[in-house]
Amino acid sequence: MLDLAMGLVSRGHEVCLAYSPVRAEAGFLQRLRGLPGVTVMPVVMHREVSVEDFSAYSGLWRLAVEQGPFDILHSHSSKAGALLRSIPVPGARVYTPHAFRTMDPHTPPLAALVFGGVETLLARVATDCVIAVSAEEARHARTRLRVPASKLATIVNGVSSPGLRPRALVRSELGIDASDVLVGFVGRLCYQKYPELFLEAISRARKINPAIKGLMLGDGELFGAVEELCISLGLEEAVKLVRGQSAMDYFGGMDCLCMTSRYEAMPYVLLEALSVGLPIVSTRVGGTDEAVVPGVTGFLVESEAEAVAEAVLDLAGDALLRRRLSMGAVERAAAYTTESMVAKTEEVYLKSIGSKMVLSASSRPAA
């Protein structure tokens, strides 16, 4: 979202970015403060559905009135998408869910029916364009949520690749030996990202190869539970937990990235890792198979500790394999540029604004 905002500013657009200070992680806030030319507005919005959502709705409405009128109202994530698209103010509505909740195969049937019903209704009556970030998410939108094809666009996230900090420096700060194989996990510590599976896989892998170490970057509602699981698995010294830091600050010290999500569309961190040449071990979910090519950029596995551990062991025991997958990752990442993402999003904006103008003109009484 921050790269998109900066890209739009560089193309001459005015951008007002609303964010929730209670949901944002420290790394995001740090980058947010350094966005030149972007108006930044805090709106308190909690992750859980509660009566506090009425206050968030009021805050977004007030922002839209005081800072607007806007040509485009672009919402990201399901809750912000539902609230912002429901506000009765001018402007074309664009929505990027970044993985529909209904993509989780473990969602209870009643919850899936409710979430799916809301998404379908809003897509049909309060949205000019839904942006899917992977072909799989677009397919889900069409077939499961019945989003009209005319209102659907697929724009994969784009990344830039800044320089990495030296490997030796990162490892020295973490207390990781040069001979250790460091497996990274980056993401919010929550149900979707399934951090428990990562720990269970590292525990299994270390019984065969004790040189394997883990690094978990993230924060969230499961942080305490993750700490407790580390202790119960005897991983206090083998897995480092780091809160509120940028992944790019630590990628240089990693040997591979491990993603254990229950569901995804196209995670940004996956593309970041590819761009710096990190081999990937990922659960086979959502659009991950569009970026993770088995044997070329990494491995796709089932959502089981044994399967994840086996893939990690394969990488840990073969430096030449890691090097080959690293080259494949960089080559694959070249298709996912920030410039392409911004340009395609701008096209969606212009098309959405044009549709609004045509609709407005066609609804006027004939002279």
Side-chain angles (χ1 to χ4, degrees):
M1 184 168 62
L2 300 185
D3 287 339
L4 175 60
M6 287 299 299
L8 291 169
V9 169
S10 71
R11 287 171 170 260
H13 301 290
E14 297 180 49
V15 177
C16 178
L17 193 156
Y19 75 100
S20 172
V22 298
R23 294 177 60 173
E25 297 184 358
F28 176 88
L29 293 174
Q30 184 177 3
R31 285 194 63 197
L32 193 64
R33 285 189 283 269
L35 289 182
V38 178
T39 302
V40 178
M41 303 293 294
V43 176
V44 174
M45 184 184 303
H46 296 272
R47 292 183 182 275
E48 303 78 15
V49 176
S50 70
V51 295
E52 294 176 323
D53 292 340
F54 290 104
S55 177
Y57 181 81
S58 175
L60 286 173
W61 194 345
R62 185 167 55 252
L63 183 152
V65 171
E66 294 177 355
Q67 298 294 320
F70 296 105
D71 296 305
I72 294 287
L73 295 168
H74 189 170
S75 51
H76 297 257
S77 81
S78 55
K79 177 179 282 191
L83 296 180
L84 189 60
R85 286 181 291 169
S86 302
I87 294 173
V89 293
R93 266 69 166 172
V94 176
Y95 169 51
T96 305
H98 298 287
F100 293 104
R101 185 66 176 82
T102 47
M103 293 178 73
D104 178 9
H106 305 288
T107 302
L110 180 58
L113 183 64
V114 172
F115 289 134
V118 171
E119 291 285 9
T120 299
L121 177 64
L122 288 174
R124 288 179 173 273
V125 305
T127 310
D128 294 283
C129 186
V130 175
I131 296 179
V133 297
S134 69
E136 174 59 23
E137 187 180 33
R139 185 201 65 77
H140 182 88
R142 287 193 308 271
T143 60
R144 170 66 175 81
L145 302 176
R146 303 188 302 281
V147 176
S150 61
K151 290 190 173 187
L152 189 60
T154 302
I155 303 176
V156 180
N157 291 324
V159 294
S160 55
S161 181
L164 295 177
R165 295 201 299 155
R167 178 182 178 86
L169 175 61
V170 175
R171 289 186 166 230
S172 174
E173 292 176 354
L174 294 170
I176 301 295
D177 293 338
S179 59
D180 289 335
V181 176
L182 187 59
V183 182
F185 172 101
V186 180
R188 184 166 181 81
L189 302 182
C190 62
Y191 167 84
Q192 178 188 356
K193 303 300 182 180
Y194 205 177
E196 305 97 325
L197 178 59
F198 174 81
L199 290 175
E200 292 167 5
I202 293 297
S203 177
R204 283 174 177 258
R206 279 181 50 78
K207 292 175 182 177
I208 299 173
N209 186 346
I212 294 173
K213 300 289 180 66
L215 171 62
M216 302 188 76
L217 299 176
D219 203 347
E221 56 269 28
L222 294 183
F223 190 89
V226 166
E227 283 187 310
E228 292 178 5
L229 185 56
C230 272
I231 295 172
S232 67
L233 293 174
L235 297 174
E236 306 99 306
E237 300 300 322
V239 175
K240 308 294 183 180
L241 300 178
V242 179
R243 304 172 94 158
Q245 298 296 322
S246 167
M248 282 294 179
D249 288 339
Y250 290 88
F251 275 158
M254 296 181 192
D255 291 293
C256 67
L257 179 75
C258 183
M259 288 182 42
T260 52
S261 301
R262 286 184 166 96
Y263 65 99
E264 290 285 359
M266 177 63 80
Y268 194 78
V269 69
L270 167 59
L271 302 179
E272 286 185 318
L274 289 176
S275 74
V276 299
L278 279 179
I280 309 294
V281 174
S282 174
T283 46
R284 193 186 304 272
V285 292
T288 54
D289 61 356
E290 297 171 37
V292 182
V293 181
V296 178
T297 63
F299 298 106
L300 291 172
V301 299
E302 298 305 314
S303 185
E304 300 171 353
E306 183 177 357
V308 177
E310 286 181 1
V312 168
L313 284 166
D314 286 344
L315 284 174
D318 193 337
L320 290 177
L321 174 62
R322 294 199 301 271
R323 193 173 307 155
R324 178 166 59 81
L325 295 179
S326 175
M327 292 187 291
V330 172
E331 184 177 345
R332 188 72 175 177
Y336 306 116
T337 66
T338 301
E339 292 76 14
S340 175
M341 173 187 69
V342 173
K344 290 178 180 179
T345 303
E346 185 182 50
E347 289 178 9
V348 166
Y349 288 172
L350 295 175
K351 181 179 178 181
S352 298
I353 293 171
S355 297
K356 281 287 187 186
M357 295 175 65
V358 170
L359 180 62
S360 175
S362 65
S363 63
R364 295 172 186 158

